[in-house]
């Protein structure tokens, strides 16, 4: 049975339970990312999913309280924190278009004069982190404080093992940063920027934490304490870029299947936003060839189908 309207908040829980049961019967969950030992060791059969409503009520199933490596999901929050500070000036340094290339590609930077195509590929995220670092002097710390406040979980922290592993395999990110610096699009020293970036990607959080932390985008820019982080227009901008660029070079397929703004990470997590209604996070570490959680995309597809909640 398809649920076309959600008349009660509690209707979310049976939907999540049905999705978890369906996912549990699905063979072929993909493979965890293998270039970071802490990620490679994850069980691809793990699965968790949470929905957070505008008032902070959160529902979940499976491993929804288990922390995992957020990786590129944090790029959404860093983008919002910097956009809140500098507004449209940010878009002079990073674009808003899908890349069509792998997330760590150097190719487009050369013929686009060091301006990354969007803030969610690695080059774009480095630019956003660099600009937030200039404004706060501790971009990773600013991000962590925000996530702790919005999730209501003061124990959220960086995973030092993951950050160190990222650093040991960070030559491509260093190349991206140096190349953009040659065009004047990086302000801070590259080692400092990379340290901030790797710490940012190493945050460990659960589906419950991330669903709650993402809810400000469902509230059109309003934080959990009622203060405004983003204007309504800026929240729309972030959601729009998530929809078109948030799942690497599979954003078109994700929009087609799920129909929500979303951002994935190679730790197996995906956050998604139903503007004006709720935010979601799903986690399962088995990835497809484009770096997105196989079970995560399938679960979000089922959620929008069963509830009728999408932006289309």
């Amino acid at each position: 049975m398809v649920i076309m309207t959600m008349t009660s908040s509690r209707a979310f829980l049976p939907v999540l339970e049905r999705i978890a049961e369906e996912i549990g019967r699905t063979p072929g969950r993909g493979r965890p990312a293998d270039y970071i030992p802490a990620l490679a060791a994850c069980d691809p059969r793990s699965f968790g999913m949470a929905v957070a409503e505008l008032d902070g009520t959160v529902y979940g199933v499976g491993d929804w309280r288990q922390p995992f490596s957020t990786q590129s999901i944090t790029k959404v929050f860093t983008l919002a924190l910097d956009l809140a500070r500098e507004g449209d000036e940010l878009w002079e340094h990073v674009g808003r278009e899908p890349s069509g290339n792998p997330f760590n590609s150097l190719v487009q930077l050369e013929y686009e004069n060091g301006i990354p195509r969007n803030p969610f590929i690695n080059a774009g995220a480095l630019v956003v982190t660099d600009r937030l670092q200039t404004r706060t002097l501790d971009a990773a710390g600013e991000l962590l404080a925000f996530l702790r406040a919005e999730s209501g979980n003061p124990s959220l922290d960086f995973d030092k093992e993951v950050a160190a592993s990222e650093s040991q395999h960070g030559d491509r990110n260093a190349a991206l940063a140096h190349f953009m610096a040659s065009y004047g699009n990086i302000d801070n020293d590259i080692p400092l920027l990379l340290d901030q970036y790797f710490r940012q990607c190493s945050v460990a959080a659960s589906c419950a934490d991330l669903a709650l932390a993402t809810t400000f985008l469902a509230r059109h820019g309003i934080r959990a304490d009622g203060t405004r982080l983003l204007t309504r227009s800026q929240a729309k901008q972030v959601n729009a870029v998530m929809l078109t660029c948030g799942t690497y070079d599979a954003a078109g397929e994700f929009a087609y299947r799920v129909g929500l703004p979303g951002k994935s990470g190679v730790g197996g997590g995906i956050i998604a936003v139903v503007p004006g209604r709720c935010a979601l996070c799903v986690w399962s570490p088995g990835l497809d060839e484009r770096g997105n959680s196989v079970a995560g995309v399938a679960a979000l597809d089922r959620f929008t189908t069963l509830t009728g909640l999408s932006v289309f």
Side-chain angles (χ1 to χ4, degrees):
M1 181 181 69
V2 176
I3 304 170
M4 297 305 297
T5 60
M6 304 292 289
T7 58
S8 168
S9 299
R10 294 184 183 277
F12 280 131
L13 190 54
V15 170
L16 296 182
E17 290 171 342
R18 175 172 171 177
I19 291 169
E21 197 227 339
E22 291 179 4
I23 294 296
R25 298 197 307 265
T26 304
R29 296 281 193 88
R31 298 176 56 188
D34 57 10
Y35 64 94
I36 300 173
L39 302 186
C42 290
D43 181 358
R45 301 290 299 177
S46 297
F47 176 82
M49 188 172 186
V51 178
E53 296 187 287
L54 303 187
D55 64 358
T57 304
V58 61
Y59 306 88
V61 290
D63 304 310
W64 68 299
R65 295 286 190 185
Q66 180 176 330
F68 62 89
S69 188
T70 55
Q71 294 294 308
S72 289
I73 290 175
T74 58
K75 294 173 181 177
V76 171
F77 307 107
T78 306
L79 171 62
L81 289 168
D82 186 71
L83 186 61
R85 284 166 170 79
E86 66 170 321
D88 286 346
E89 184 182 345
L90 169 64
W91 302 120
E92 298 174 14
H93 300 269
V94 62
R96 303 184 292 272
E97 297 294 335
S99 68
N101 284 313
F103 60 88
N104 59 356
S105 174
L106 280 155
V107 175
Q108 286 175 329
L109 281 177
E110 184 163 12
Y111 61 79
E112 294 184 351
N113 300 315
I115 304 295
R117 186 64 70 90
N118 67 68
F120 295 148
I121 55 175
N122 285 16
L126 284 164
V127 167
V128 175
T129 298
D130 177 67
R131 299 186 70 76
L132 184 62
Q133 176 66 20
T134 297
R135 283 155 181 77
T136 65
L137 304 181
D138 184 8
E142 193 76 15
L143 165 71
L144 185 61
F146 178 82
L147 291 175
R148 286 174 171 174
E150 297 306 293
S151 68
N153 183 358
S155 67
L156 289 186
D157 211 342
F158 306 112
D159 185 319
K160 294 180 180 179
E161 179 186 353
V162 171
S165 188
E166 297 254 19
S167 180
Q168 291 164 8
H169 297 83
D171 290 341
R172 178 64 67 95
N173 286 316
L176 291 167
H178 281 292
F179 192 82
M180 291 185 293
S182 74
Y183 282 93
N185 202 22
I186 294 291
D187 294 331
N188 292 278
D189 291 339
I190 304 301
L192 172 63
L193 170 59
L194 292 175
D195 177 67
Q196 290 285 326
Y197 180 70
F198 295 143
R199 289 171 67 213
Q200 165 190 318
C201 292
S202 78
V203 172
S206 69
C207 291
D209 295 325
L210 290 171
L212 287 166
T214 306
T215 311
F216 78 101
L217 289 171
R219 291 191 293 262
H220 308 294
I222 302 294
R223 296 186 58 169
D225 64 3
T227 62
R228 180 171 286 282
L229 176 69
L230 300 176
T231 67
R232 193 179 182 96
S233 178
Q234 288 172 331
K236 179 190 72 174
Q237 291 170 6
V238 174
N239 282 330
V241 178
M242 287 173 66
L243 180 68
T244 58
C245 308
T247 46
Y248 309 118
D249 54 342
E253 177 70 11
F254 186 82
Y256 176 84
R257 288 187 62 184
V258 176
L260 293 175
K263 180 73 194 84
S264 62
V266 295
I270 308 174
I271 58 172
V273 179
V274 183
R277 188 59 189 268
C278 63
L280 305 95
C281 180
V282 60
W283 171 65
S284 187
L287 309 179
D288 61 22
E289 66 279 2
R290 291 173 170 175
N292 298 309
S293 170
V294 173
V297 174
L300 290 170
D301 181 358
R302 291 299 290 150
F303 178 85
T304 53
T305 299
L306 290 169
T307 64
L309 296 174
S310 89
V311 297
F312 300 111

